[in-house]
Amino acid sequence: MKKTYKIEVDCANCANKMEEAAKKTAGVKDATVNFMTLKMIVEFEEGQEPKSVMQEVLKNCKKVEDDCEIFI
């Protein structure tokens, strides 16, 4: 399952850091962050609950970019 989320991030480098953090989160099969459109597309692993996985994605993204925001 893929879902798209609106994000708030200040620069393209920060967007790349968020993308890498999201990809390393348990339950995420793949993730793409587009800085130009301020969107994150997340593909979840089979059987995962998107809302709970996204809470972890947000925590991991805040570790690398503390002023980022993901609108879940």
Side-chain angles (χ1 to χ4, degrees), residues 17-19 30 37 39 45 52 54:
K17 289 180 184 178
M18 285 179 65
E19 182 175 304
D30 195 25
T37 61
K39 298 221 185 298
E45 291 177 356
S52 60
M54 286 307 295

Side-chain angles (χ1 to χ4, degrees), residues 3 5 9 12-13 22 24 32 37 48-49 52 57 60-61 70:
K3 290 191 120 192
Y5 298 91
V9 62
N13 187 43
K24 292 177 183 174
T32 307
T37 61
Q48 295 294 318
E49 176 55 47
S52 60
V57 168
N60 289 341
C61 287
I70 302 172

Side-chain angles (χ1 to χ4, degrees), residues 54-71:
M54 286 307 295
Q55 295 294 336
E56 291 304 310
V57 168
L58 180 58
K59 283 183 200 172
N60 289 341
C61 287
K62 291 242 183 225
K63 287 177 189 172
V64 294
E65 192 54 45
D66 63 347
D67 64 345
C68 73
E69 195 60 62
I70 302 172
F71 300 96

Side-chain angles (χ1 to χ4, degrees), residues 24-50:
K24 292 177 183 174
T25 305
V28 174
K29 187 174 184 180
D30 195 25
T32 307
V33 173
N34 186 320
F35 175 65
M36 296 301 288
T37 61
L38 293 177
K39 298 221 185 298
M40 175 185 280
I41 300 169
V42 180
E43 184 176 355
F44 299 95
E45 291 177 356
E46 194 73 30
Q48 295 294 318
E49 176 55 47

